[in-house]
Amino acid sequence: MPLLWVAIGFALMLVLLLVVKLDAFFALLLTSLAVALLNGMDLLGALQSILKGIGATMGSVALVLVFGAMLGRLLDESGAA
């Protein structure tokens, strides 16, 4: 049964992106919340799970983004870009 909820979540993601033209980040948040609720999680548990996942992802990606932005700015300032 959980695989069915994931398939429904995938369809919901496509509808939100292609038909509603919602931003991808918000579509992902809404879809993950819907799949969590369909799988039987309570609302608070679903939100905590989503926040934990976002925090772990941003924690590992944040330095790469910051250093990339700094390098891009240095290239722009020096005229090499």
Side-chain angles (χ1 to χ4, degrees):
M1 197 66 167
L3 193 57
L4 175 66
W5 301 136
V6 172
I8 290 173
F10 184 74
L12 176 64
M13 174 70 84
L14 287 176
V15 167
L16 288 174
L17 288 174
L18 299 175
V19 177
V20 180
K21 303 235 187 273
L22 193 63
D23 185 52
F25 181 74
F26 295 122
L28 182 61
L29 282 178
L30 289 175
T31 303
S32 61
L33 183 63
V35 170
L37 292 175
L38 287 173
N39 274 320
M41 292 181 76
D42 60 336
L43 184 61
L44 186 59
L47 290 175
Q48 287 175 345
S49 176
I50 292 169
L51 287 176
K52 183 179 176 185
I54 291 173
T57 302
M58 290 305 289
S60 63
V61 173
L63 284 177
V64 174
L65 292 175
V66 168
F67 288 138
M70 288 172 44
L71 183 62
R73 182 69 179 178
L74 288 172
L75 286 172
D76 186 40
E77 293 280 329
S78 69

